[in-house]
């Protein structure tokens, strides 16, 4: 009997829905050199997005049932998503509108573009006012409804870990019984958020996750200004993370949110990370060079940096700062020891400043 060739044997196995390990050797040859970035770098221009949002207000007269939201889809990803784990988009809500309450296992956040005191999201019974550039979390499985009780349209950026949750096949969803959820109105002291500062009730065990629900822009901007004179990160300038004040970790278990200042004329060094990111330009003008592609951006543009793509940022202005808000999937990778950077570890690599030396006693 003539011996089977390996190729014939592989075909037989394939019919039985099995595959020999030796086949992976061939596969591995293709992946040598590390991950290939998933999707492409891309910019969604405010000047193209904004008129479409305005148009959507006429074409979709109510945001009552659905959210009047556009997702920004990476032209290089067949499965959808802005990166392979993150989805960013924009939402507009007209005066008097309500986007009714629901919850899902997809974690989300809102970064406000246009808002005011009478625009708010209710998250698990807590009212979160939406002023321009505030960050509001709507954590996994939290009830959330959006309200615009003001006379002006409101716009915000939505970021979700949707591709990640779909990838793990855990997309639960539930509408609230009724359009708006009950609010803890009697006193702000009842809010979980009132317990996230440096002074906390001695009689309660603190809630440990998904806190606070709202990071006001006034605090973020003040902290950027306070630290602007520092050297900062060679790769990201003055990049600050919105952290959970209880455990010091990321704002949500899958999403790390950053606010970052590039000083006038600042050009960062290039690096790559196994994480991917989406960016929203708060203000300023510049470019981010991703591999060989130059992403030109200005105020209110949105862009993405795929995983394991070399990237650096340039603030083109000699006189003005550029401010970027970004969301990274770093915690997803760190949870499983899959977070790497090249050419060096830069995130949290440096120790905090030392106590200044005590001067020697002078002889009198
Ligand atoms: C969602 O629930 C919201 O609650 C916005 O405002 C955008 C995009 C995809 C899936 C769910 C919201 C969304 C979304």
């Amino acid at each position: 009997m003539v011996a089977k060739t390996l190729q014939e044997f592989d075909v037989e196995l394939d019919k039985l829905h099995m595959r020999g390990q030796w086949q992976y050797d061939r596969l591995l040859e293709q992946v040598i050199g590390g991950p290939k970035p998933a999707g492409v770098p891309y910019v969604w221009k405010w000047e193209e997005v904004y008129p479409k949002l305005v148009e959507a207000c006429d074409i979709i007269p109510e945001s009552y049932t659905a959210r009047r939201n556009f997702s920004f889809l990476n032209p290089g990803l067949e499965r959808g998503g802005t990166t392979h784990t993150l989805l960013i988009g924009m939402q507009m809500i007209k005066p008097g509108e309500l986007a009714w309450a629901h919850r899902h296992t997809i974690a989300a956040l809102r970064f406000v573009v246009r808002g005011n005191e009478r625009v708010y999201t209710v998250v698990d019974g807590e009212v979160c006012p939406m002023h321009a550039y505030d960050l509001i979390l709507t954590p996994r499985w939290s009830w959330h409804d959006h309200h615009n009780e003001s006379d002006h349209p409101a716009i915000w950026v939505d970021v979700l870990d949707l591709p990640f949750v779909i990838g793990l096949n855990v997309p639960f969803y539930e509408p609230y019984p009724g359009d708006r959820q009950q609010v803890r109105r009697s006193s702000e002291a009842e809010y979980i958020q009132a317990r996230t500062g440096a002074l906390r009730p001695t009689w309660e065990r603190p809630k440990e996750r998904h806190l606070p629900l709202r990071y006001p822009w006034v605090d973020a901007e003040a902290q950027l200004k306070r630290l602007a004179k520092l050297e900062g990160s060679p790769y990201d300038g003055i990049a600050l993370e919105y952290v959970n004040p209880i455990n010091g970790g990321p704002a949500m278990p899958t999403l790390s949110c950053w606010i970052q200042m590039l000083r006038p004329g600042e050009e960062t060094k290039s690096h790559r990370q196994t994480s991917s990111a989406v960016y929203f330009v708060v203000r300023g003008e510049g470019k981010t060079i991703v591999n060989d592609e130059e992403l030109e951006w200005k105020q209110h543009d949105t862009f993405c940096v795929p995983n394991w793509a070399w990237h650096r940022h340039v603030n083109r202005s000699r006189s003005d700062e550029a401010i970027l808000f970004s969301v990274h999937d770093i915690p997803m990778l760190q949870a499983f020891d899959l977070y790497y950077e090249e050419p060096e570890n830069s995130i949290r690599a440096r120790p905090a400043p030392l106590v200044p030396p005590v001067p020697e006693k002078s002889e009198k």
Side-chain angles (χ1 to χ4, degrees), residues 153-315:
I155 299 176
W156 57 79
V157 171
D158 298 290
V159 182
L160 305 100
D161 63 4
L162 183 142
F164 176 75
V165 172
I166 298 297
L168 292 178
N169 196 21
V170 278
F172 293 95
Y173 170 88
E174 191 180 6
Y176 193 78
D179 56 8
R180 63 185 70 214
Q181 61 178 299
Q182 277 211 49
V183 171
R184 283 180 250 203
R185 272 199 201 279
S186 59
S187 153
E188 248 183 59
E190 287 186 22
Y191 285 13
I192 301 291
Q193 291 173 91
R195 289 142 165 82
T196 59
L199 291 164
R200 298 173 200 153
T202 57
W203 61 93
E204 286 178 6
R205 233 185 347 265
K207 186 173 183 265
E208 286 182 4
R209 279 154 64 106
H210 304 142
L211 285 171
L213 296 169
R214 173 169 184 257
Y215 295 83
W217 173 243
V218 285
D219 296 345
E221 192 177 34
Q223 183 69 337
L224 280 175
K225 286 207 170 114
R226 201 175 286 137
L227 301 182
K229 292 271 183 319
L230 293 179
E231 199 183 327
S233 156
Y235 303 99
D236 288 299
I238 302 298
L240 310 177
E241 183 178 4
Y242 294 87
V243 299
N244 174 320
I246 309 290
N247 59 25
M252 289 193 280
T254 49
L255 303 174
S256 171
C257 307
W258 294 21
I259 192 78
Q260 145 180 31
M261 179 194 285
L262 302 170
R263 276 93 25 122
E266 183 160 3
E267 298 196 11
T268 64
K269 293 206 291 188
S270 190
H271 72 159
R272 60 178 176 178
Q273 302 154 278
T274 49
S275 53
S276 64
V278 291
Y279 288 80
F280 171 75
V281 183
V282 174
R283 60 172 186 253
E285 231 175 284
K287 61 183 177 181
T288 295
I289 299 102
V290 189
N291 286 335
D292 298 327
E293 230 170 292
E294 298 208 344
L295 303 179
E296 305 269 351
W297 44 256
K298 55 183 197 284
Q299 189 174 39
H300 296 173
D301 288 349
T302 303
F303 63 94
C304 65
V305 176
N307 65 319
W308 209 234
W310 291 99
H311 59 281
R312 63 191 176 90
H313 307 290
V314 175
N315 177 357

Side-chain angles (χ1 to χ4, degrees), residues 67 69 71 87 91 102 104 110 144 146 158 160 162:
R67 268 47 172 169
N69 155 283
S71 302
L87 184 69
Q91 180 164 173
H102 67 193
H104 33 69
R110 328 285 151 185
H144 54 284
H146 312 297
D158 298 290
L160 305 100
L162 183 142

Side-chain angles (χ1 to χ4, degrees), residues 61-184:
E62 292 230 60
S63 72
Y64 194 70
T65 50
R67 268 47 172 169
R68 197 183 289 108
N69 155 283
F70 303 141
S71 302
F72 297 163
L73 301 180
N74 192 302
L77 282 177
E78 276 173 20
R79 284 197 314 149
T82 316
T83 75
H84 63 316
T85 56
L86 306 172
L87 184 69
I88 191 168
M90 266 190 212
Q91 180 164 173
M92 186 155 175
I93 173 166
K94 291 193 288 188
E97 283 186 332
L98 157 68
W100 54 253
H102 67 193
R103 63 178 175 179
H104 33 69
T105 47
I106 294 155
L109 59 86
R110 328 285 151 185
F111 189 79
V112 183
V113 184
R114 288 192 186 155
N116 62 65
E117 185 64 29
R118 291 168 66 204
V119 177
Y120 58 92
T121 292
V122 184
V123 189
D124 279 346
E126 306 200 5
V127 174
C128 299
M130 301 173 90
H131 296 269
Y133 309 137
D134 286 350
L135 169 64
I136 314 288
L137 309 184
T138 56
R140 216 178 289 305
W141 210 238
S142 61
W143 295 111
H144 54 284
D145 40 337
H146 312 297
H147 303 253
N148 184 354
E149 293 178 355
S150 79
D151 299 329
H152 305 282
I155 299 176
W156 57 79
V157 171
D158 298 290
V159 182
L160 305 100
D161 63 4
L162 183 142
F164 176 75
V165 172
I166 298 297
L168 292 178
N169 196 21
V170 278
F172 293 95
Y173 170 88
E174 191 180 6
Y176 193 78
D179 56 8
R180 63 185 70 214
Q181 61 178 299
Q182 277 211 49
V183 171
R184 283 180 250 203

